[in-house]
Amino acid sequence: MLNLYSYNNIIFWTEEQIHLRKMLETFFVTTLSRILKEQNSAFEFFQIEAPLLTPQALINPGYTEADIYSLGDIALRPETTMGSYAYAHHLLNPHNQRKARLPLVIWQHGKSFRREQDQPTKFVRLKEFHQLEFQILFHLSTKNDYSQVVVPGVCDMISAMIGPCVVQPSDRLPEYAEWTQDIICEKSQMEVCSISMRKDFPVARNLEVAIGTDRCVFNFQNK
């Protein structure tokens, strides 16, 4: 990471780090796909790329003006969830030509933006950062608790890339979540992933896996 602007939390990425991030994406997507399809072969994965600019009305009210970069009626997205939800509703609309059914996964890997407090770059709390987020959507009546395999499986797959990690209950519970667990890199004590059972998608259960790939790149290079 290069801090060429000499400004905390805003960094440049080298070509090596860009390729590393892409490699991590491929490994994480492939591994999570295998984990879920071993549980239910009906899971279908959809990759999307939603706009960085998001209608203000769609941003979770848990984010305040102190958290986001607001541009009037639109804002730079603080997370990718809103775009994934919009696309999931589009896919599940029975009037669309492209028919999709639960269970399915909407995933995207892109930038999000938050007004983080100024800290040295080495802590990787960035104002502009990459997220690899999976929205794992399944029927409300599903008896299989996918989290029982997803949480340890995601911890293992991240550990395979950046070194030993552990799962811990999150010290914060967002209002949209029934529960949240964090995956922590043991060496750096950095949170590199957050997994939540969300309750804000009305027609399905949603197990969200949100991986901070910038932190994964940093820990991979420093393991």
Side-chain angles (χ1 to χ4, degrees):
M1 299 186 299
L2 299 173
N3 189 1
L4 300 183
Y5 286 155
S6 299
Y7 193 97
N8 285 339
N9 314 94
I10 296 179
I11 63 172
F12 286 70
W13 296 97
T14 65
E15 183 176 7
E16 176 186 354
Q17 291 166 331
I18 293 167
H19 287 304
L20 175 55
R21 189 186 297 111
K22 290 178 181 177
M23 180 271 288
L24 291 170
E25 175 195 296
T26 299
F27 179 72
F28 292 157
V29 173
T30 302
T31 303
L32 186 56
S33 176
R34 174 184 56 77
I35 290 169
L36 285 170
K37 289 184 178 182
E38 284 176 354
Q39 294 294 306
N40 187 341
S41 60
F43 267 108
E44 190 171 4
F45 275 59
F46 296 87
Q47 181 185 10
I48 68 163
E49 188 174 291
L52 300 179
L53 293 172
T54 303
Q56 188 90 37
L58 297 181
I59 293 176
N60 190 289
Y63 293 107
T64 69
E65 290 291 326
D67 302 316
I68 64 174
Y69 294 97
S70 179
L71 304 169
D73 60 342
I74 58 174
L76 288 171
R77 66 185 184 192
E79 60 182 359
T80 64
T81 309
M82 300 79 64
S84 293
Y85 274 17
Y87 197 79
H89 284 297
H90 168 75
L91 279 178
L92 294 171
N93 184 335
H95 301 294
N96 287 337
Q97 263 192 330
R98 173 64 167 95
K99 303 299 181 186
R101 293 187 176 89
L102 298 173
L104 56 83
V105 178
I106 309 294
W107 71 274
Q108 54 181 315
H109 190 191
K111 288 185 176 182
S112 294
F113 306 82
R114 293 182 197 163
R115 292 184 182 274
E116 290 285 357
Q117 293 181 353
D118 284 345
Q119 294 185 15
T121 299
K122 65 181 179 180
F123 296 117
V124 199
R125 294 188 66 86
L126 307 177
K127 292 180 170 66
E128 174 183 326
F129 57 95
H130 291 85
Q131 283 182 307
L132 174 59
E133 284 197 347
F134 303 85
Q135 309 300 331
I136 304 168
L137 302 171
F138 49 95
H139 287 284
L140 294 169
S141 60
T142 300
K143 290 186 169 42
N144 189 343
D145 183 359
Y146 292 114
S147 68
Q148 294 298 308
V149 293
V150 168
V151 173
V154 169
C155 185
D156 288 345
M157 80 178 185
I158 296 176
S159 297
M161 290 288 102
I162 71 171
C165 296
V166 294
V167 178
Q168 297 179 356
S170 179
D171 59 3
R172 65 199 184 285
L173 181 64
E175 55 83 22
Y176 57 72
E178 296 177 12
W179 54 259
T180 298
Q181 297 191 62
D182 296 331
I183 295 176
I184 309 296
C185 175
E186 287 188 345
K187 181 179 179 181
S188 66
Q189 289 299 297
M190 272 186 200
E191 176 193 327
V192 294
C193 176
S194 180
I195 303 177
S196 298
M197 183 62 74
R198 296 184 68 122
K199 55 186 179 182
D200 56 351
F201 193 83
V203 298
R205 297 276 282 165
N206 178 27
L207 181 62
E208 177 185 71
V209 176
I211 302 174
T213 49
D214 294 339
R215 292 186 178 184
C216 288
V217 168
F218 174 87
N219 284 286
F220 182 94
Q221 293 188 311
N222 290 278
K223 64 181 178 179

